[in-house]
Amino acid sequence: MSKPSFALAAHLPPAEAASVAPVFDSGAMESLSGGTGSVVTLAEAFRSVLAQGVHGLCFSPYLEGQAPGAQVSEAQIRQRLEVCRPHARWIRSFSCTDGHEQTPRIAHELGLKTLVGAWLGADAEINVREIDNVIALARAGCADLVAVGNEVLLRGDLTEDELIDCIARVKAALPGIPVGYVDAYFIFENYPRVTAACDVVMANCYPFWEGCPREQALPYMRQMLEKTRAVSAGKRVIISETGWPHQGSPFHGALPGPTAAVQYFVETAVWAEREGIEWFHFAAFDEAWKVGAEGDVGAFWGLWDKDAKLKYL
């Protein structure tokens, strides 16, 4: 997830914001206006989106007390994927070590498509294991898409050349399987050689972390997507992460809250379905360990809480 290191971006001017009509009725934010003029409650809209299923969910199987570095079991992965299975067509995983390498196989067994991530960081030995494992998983037929690294450039863990070398190695080993890189949307404009190295461009888009008020968040995210598309040379572009926290401290004009989180999720899902946008909601489950890394909002991005209980019904 893109951390609150962004400079506060300028919000869209009124004319541009109006170009993407809000899904929610402006007179009653708890309601959703349908195309026929019907009005349903926010809870009904949320249930409808979940029943239909979204394109994808960002998935980590951590249980209470676990954090990166903990060994995750097949049982907990399967249990949590079973929760997600009726509500998504794709699962995005983030790592191929510490047991996470089991996630793509189990997801495929459950009929889910997989965006399989190799987590890259500052530890060269771990990077080698991640890359070896993602190649093995894809060769075994467990990966529909491969992401080589997540926000590596944003964090400064690798240089541009080091990252491109990693992408090239995976692409050479996996002919016929789309390979790309995940980072904040603006990175692809700033690093055109990385963009050129990708088969598919995967952009993390967080209006919240740019201080955008919830009411302007959907048109602002659309602008993020268009900026990415403008530098992608016609390549497939996926929104690899987006979401809104239901609890925690405000970030400039962006206010966490359960109503805001549900509104953002439903608006995004309706827009993406209408426009044929591939997107992954962040996240399936709350993750308590993220409080230290991302402030008090870090643990509260899931549709389900840390105990896999759906939060908004």
Side-chain angles (χ1 to χ4, degrees):
M1 177 192 298
S2 305
K3 311 302 188 295
S5 57
F6 297 163
L8 180 63
H11 298 151
L12 293 175
E16 176 133 6
S19 69
V20 184
V23 176
F24 286 95
D25 180 79
S26 60
M29 291 303 292
E30 72 275 7
S31 297
L32 181 77
S33 297
T36 62
S38 62
V39 176
V40 297
T41 68
L42 183 57
E44 289 171 336
F46 181 64
R47 286 194 292 268
S48 176
V49 169
L50 280 182
Q52 179 177 335
V54 298
H55 176 81
L57 291 171
C58 294
F59 176 82
S60 290
Y62 294 121
L63 304 179
E64 184 72 359
Q66 290 183 323
Q71 191 73 23
V72 298
S73 70
E74 177 171 352
Q76 73 187 80
I77 294 169
R78 187 175 296 276
Q79 181 183 48
R80 295 252 158 151
L81 282 175
E82 286 280 10
V83 173
C84 301
R85 182 177 58 83
H87 309 295
R89 298 181 287 279
W90 287 72
I91 288 292
R92 179 187 167 201
S93 61
F94 289 78
S95 171
C96 290
T97 59
D98 296 329
H100 297 282
E101 64 274 16
Q102 302 171 95
T103 296
R105 170 182 56 81
I106 298 169
H108 268 200
E109 290 173 2
L110 297 176
L112 293 160
K113 290 190 173 183
T114 56
L115 167 51
V116 183
W119 186 268
L120 303 182
D123 189 316
E125 291 185 6
I126 294 176
N127 291 348
V128 169
R129 292 202 301 272
E130 289 277 352
I131 289 174
D132 287 346
N133 286 355
V134 80
I135 290 171
L137 284 166
R139 285 176 170 171
C142 297
D144 298 288
L145 282 170
V146 170
V148 183
N150 180 74
E151 296 185 346
V152 172
L153 296 174
L154 186 66
R155 294 191 306 271
D157 286 347
L158 294 178
T159 68
E160 180 180 22
D161 286 340
E162 288 170 336
L163 175 60
I164 289 172
D165 286 346
C166 291
I167 295 170
R169 179 186 166 195
V170 175
K171 285 178 63 176
L174 300 176
I177 297 177
V179 174
Y181 168 64
V182 176
D183 214 319
Y185 71 98
F186 56 82
I187 291 291
F188 295 98
E189 182 178 7
N190 296 338
Y191 292 88
R193 292 173 55 230
V194 172
T195 308
C198 295
D199 298 322
V200 55
V201 177
M202 294 175 270
N204 292 346
C205 299
Y206 283 104
F208 179 87
W209 283 133
E210 298 200 10
C212 182
R214 214 292 314 158
E215 293 78 11
Q216 297 181 34
L218 181 62
Y220 191 56
M221 180 174 64
R222 182 167 180 171
Q223 187 183 58
M224 293 173 170
L225 176 61
E226 291 308 315
K227 284 180 177 294
T228 310
R229 284 176 166 169
V231 297
S232 68
K235 295 179 180 180
R236 180 181 180 184
V237 176
I238 296 172
I239 298 175
S240 40
E241 294 179 28
T242 195
W244 200 273
H246 91 278
Q247 185 176 324
S249 300
F251 188 69
H252 299 279
L255 306 179
T259 299
V262 176
Q263 287 170 338
Y264 186 78
F265 171 73
V266 172
E267 285 194 358
T268 300
V270 171
W271 164 71
E273 187 70 22
R274 183 174 63 225
E275 300 292 331
I277 306 297
E278 295 181 274
W279 71 293
F280 288 79
H281 178 75
F282 189 92
F285 301 99
D286 284 348
E287 298 178 71
W289 69 270
K290 288 196 167 186
V291 168
E294 298 171 8
D296 60 0
V297 299
F300 303 111
W301 293 77
L303 297 178
W304 292 268
D305 68 14
K306 62 183 178 61
D307 300 315
K309 180 179 178 181
L310 195 62
K311 295 193 299 193
Y312 302 117
L313 293 180

